[in-house]
Amino acid sequence: MPGDDRTGGSDETRYAGKALEDSTENLRMPGTFFTLYVLAFDLDERDQPVRAFGPRRAATKEAALEEARELAVTHAGVVVWKREGDPVVGEEGEPEIVFQSGRIGDFA
């Protein structure tokens, strides 16, 4: 399903230049899924980060990271985050940053 991250197991993600162990993959409840988002920021006239566009869904973590790295070249900041969802109860969890580069503002 597009937007899901069902890679399972333990993998490394990047956050502010540091590799982090994604231990939540092993704790996911059956029937839940992750939705990944990518968002870029530019600086306004007061040098504050503002959204360059609305959040974009990514099909996979690898696609999100690739898009984020490309956007980081032309924007002041980029963030990739994920949220766990449970369609049975219609809830979405708190955002968890997967990758961050440069200056970012409010994103979730």
Side-chain angles (χ1 to χ4, degrees), residues 4-5 7 19-20 22 26 34-35 37 51 54 56 59 99 101 108:
D4 286 4
D5 179 23
T7 57
L20 299 176
D22 191 358
N26 296 326
F34 283 112
T35 303
Y37 300 94
R51 292 178 178 201
R56 297 179 183 167
F99 175 88
S101 176

Side-chain angles (χ1 to χ4, degrees), residues 19-35:
L20 299 176
E21 182 79 11
D22 191 358
S23 59
T24 59
E25 292 291 325
N26 296 326
L27 303 175
R28 193 175 324 157
M29 297 294 295
T32 62
F33 61 91
F34 283 112
T35 303

